[in-house]
Amino acid sequence: GENVEQHPSTLSVQEGDSAVIKCTYSDSASNYFPWYKQELGKRPQLIIDIRSNVGEKKDQRIAVTLNKTAKHFSLHITETQPEDSAVYFCAASHAGGTSYGKLTFGQGTILTVHP
Amino acid sequence: NAGVTQTPKFQVLKTGQSMTLQCAQDMNHEYMSWYRQDPGMGLRLIHYSVGAGITDQGEVPNGYNVSRSTTEDFPLRLLSAAPSQTSVYFCASSKGARQPQHFGDGTRLSIL
């Protein structure tokens, strides 16, 4: 089955700096890659997603890049703010075969933005 | 529009007891999933369903049962609770396999 590795496990930045979180996946058939943000004691919430037919997607201060050849994708947050502090999860899935509908998550990155 | 509703929010069980975690969604989503979240281990898929009457196992299915008799509901049953099942359980739903998953608020379950 799919295996998703996420790095780093913790990330500390100063307000205004950029933050980058990287994930690798094992199943070359995976074609959907969402990112979720989870604040303490809350539900995970989607912040951005990308499908395998595009290499990059941007939404204001957040961007995701995908390298299908290397099987890795990254989350980029620019001009970080204290409210960006949370746990971020990457995930991967594909709509085919015996894994149809399964979403596999990375282990999470605790991002702390210092004022 | 309530989204994904999970009940109960908190539960304490004794080892060997059984119980059902409820999950309901009002978005007419075909896909529903159950995850457990443990510290340092992210979200692990327990069971999922691609539509009414269809369920399949995820990464950690042992000790849990599911059924999907309607589009709206996807209950998770613990057959005989064990301390290793102490966790936070999230239910999620989506329109399809490559669509955003919407999560419920979670059920915090402790097994003594």
Side-chain angles (χ1 to χ4, degrees), chain B residues 94-106:
Chain B
S94 65
K95 283 184 181 179
R98 299 200 304 159
Q99 298 296 325
Q101 293 208 0
H102 300 260
F103 284 82
D105 286 332

Side-chain angles (χ1 to χ4, degrees), chain B residues 11-66:
Chain B
Q11 185 70 49
V12 179
L13 292 178
K14 294 181 179 179
T15 297
Q17 287 185 314
S18 62
M19 80 161 294
T20 299
L21 308 185
Q22 301 292 343
C23 176
Q25 52 91 10
D26 61 0
M27 298 173 283
N28 201 31
H29 285 172
E30 290 296 321
Y31 282 71
M32 296 188 75
S33 303
W34 275 103
Y35 298 89
R36 60 177 290 174
Q37 185 172 36
D38 303 295
M41 300 190 74
L43 291 147
R44 292 184 292 168
L45 183 64
I46 305 172
H47 286 285
Y48 69 107
S49 170
V50 300
I54 306 170
T55 63
D56 204 350
Q57 295 182 349
E59 182 184 352
V60 288
N62 292 341
Y64 308 94
N65 272 357
V66 292

Side-chain angles (χ1 to χ4, degrees), chain B residues 76-95:
Chain B
L76 178 72
R77 282 180 283 276
L78 278 71
L79 308 174
S80 177
S84 61
Q85 294 179 305
T86 293
S87 188
V88 179
Y89 291 83
F90 285 100
C91 179
S93 73
S94 65
K95 283 184 181 179

Side-chain angles (χ1 to χ4, degrees), chain A residues 3-104:
Chain A
N3 183 48
V4 178
E5 296 288 333
Q6 182 173 345
H7 299 281
S9 56
T10 60
L11 180 58
S12 183
V13 300
Q14 289 295 126
E15 183 176 1
D17 287 349
S18 294
V20 180
I21 303 170
K22 299 181 179 181
C23 289
T24 60
Y25 60 98
S26 61
D27 189 343
S28 57
S30 288
N31 54 15
Y32 175 63
F33 307 93
W35 286 88
Y36 288 84
K37 176 183 180 182
Q38 186 178 29
E39 296 176 350
L40 189 62
K42 301 286 183 65
R43 69 178 80 178
Q45 292 193 298
L46 181 81
I47 55 172
I48 196 167
D49 59 5
I50 190 168
R51 291 173 179 78
S52 58
N53 56 339
V54 298
E56 183 174 357
K57 184 177 179 180
K58 190 173 182 180
D59 182 5
Q60 299 182 344
R61 297 186 295 109
I62 295 172
V64 57
T65 58
L66 172 64
N67 184 326
K68 289 175 58 180
T69 303
K71 291 191 285 188
H72 68 70
F73 56 112
S74 300
L75 178 71
H76 305 254
I77 305 174
T78 59
E79 301 172 21
T80 53
Q81 301 165 4
E83 50 266 39
D84 294 330
S85 297
V87 182
Y88 291 81
F89 293 97
C90 63
S93 79
H94 61 86
T98 57
S99 295
Y100 190 74
K102 282 185 178 178
L103 193 61
T104 302

